[in-house]
Amino acid sequence: MKVNLFTSTLNRSLILALVMVLAMGACKSKKKAVQPEPEPAPVERVEEKPAPQPPAPTAEEVAVEKLENAFNSVAASGNTGIANQSIEQTLAMFSNQDTPVLIVIHEENGVKDYDEPTTIRKYLEYLKDTKKNLNFISDIRLDANGKVSELELRRK
């Protein structure tokens, strides 16, 4: 009988020890949940600098944009009257009606081959007749008054 009693006492002791370990573990986890979290370290505020403004467009860039729009307007005009009006407005941007327009047809190793030179008036009339603007401005020269004195075009 003593063996039975020892075994049951041992079992009871082990079960009691297991319950106590579980109870202690449960208490610790509750304490961790109840304890407040430490405050995060203060973050330094960095003043946001506004993004740098893009540089103002140069006179050449403004002239190129206006001329591209004018060329497209002449080419897309619905009738001759509107096209002629657009041509006159565009000619006001040039130093004179005979301003040279050079069209690059080929370039190799920095050497450019040009189509037959023309004037701005002839080029605008060509745009009016063909109703297609197949070139873009690759180089522009302005005189002291801010008017176009030479124009170089390339195929798109």
Side-chain angles (χ1 to χ4, degrees):
M1 260 189 138
K2 283 189 174 185
V3 173
N4 258 347
L5 193 63
F6 180 72
T7 306
S8 67
T9 308
L10 184 62
N11 284 340
R12 285 185 188 165
S13 297
L14 286 174
I15 291 174
L16 185 61
L18 181 63
V19 169
M20 287 176 51
V21 167
L22 289 174
M24 287 176 51
C27 290
K28 285 184 179 180
S29 65
K30 284 183 183 176
K31 286 182 181 177
K32 285 182 182 177
V34 173
Q35 289 179 351
E37 294 183 17
E39 292 184 26
V43 178
E44 291 183 27
R45 291 187 180 190
V46 178
E47 291 183 24
E48 293 183 22
K49 296 179 181 176
Q53 296 294 328
T58 63
E60 286 87 5
E61 292 171 337
V62 171
V64 166
E65 186 176 336
K66 286 181 180 179
L67 281 175
E68 289 286 349
N69 291 336
F71 290 165
N72 289 330
S73 174
V74 170
S77 61
N79 62 37
T80 308
I82 294 173
N84 288 335
Q85 184 179 6
S86 295
I87 288 172
E88 293 305 319
Q89 290 173 350
T90 305
L91 287 174
M93 298 174 65
F94 289 83
S95 56
N96 62 45
Q97 294 183 11
D98 295 327
T99 299
V101 176
L102 304 171
I103 301 173
V104 178
I105 55 174
H106 181 72
E107 181 177 3
E108 188 173 333
N109 298 328
V111 178
K112 298 176 184 177
D113 290 327
Y114 297 99
D115 197 1
E116 181 181 344
T118 187
T119 64
I120 188 59
R121 176 164 287 283
K122 288 180 183 176
Y123 183 71
L124 291 171
E125 294 291 337
Y126 168 79
L127 290 177
K128 178 178 79 171
D129 294 340
T130 62
K131 300 202 179 295
K132 292 180 183 178
N133 184 12
L134 301 176
N135 300 311
F136 68 94
I137 299 171
S138 64
D139 190 22
I140 189 169
R141 304 258 164 78
L142 301 177
D143 63 8
N145 298 326
K147 296 198 177 223
V148 179
S149 61
E150 186 178 315
L151 192 61
E152 184 178 278
L153 305 174
R154 290 182 187 261
R155 289 273 181 201
K156 288 183 182 178

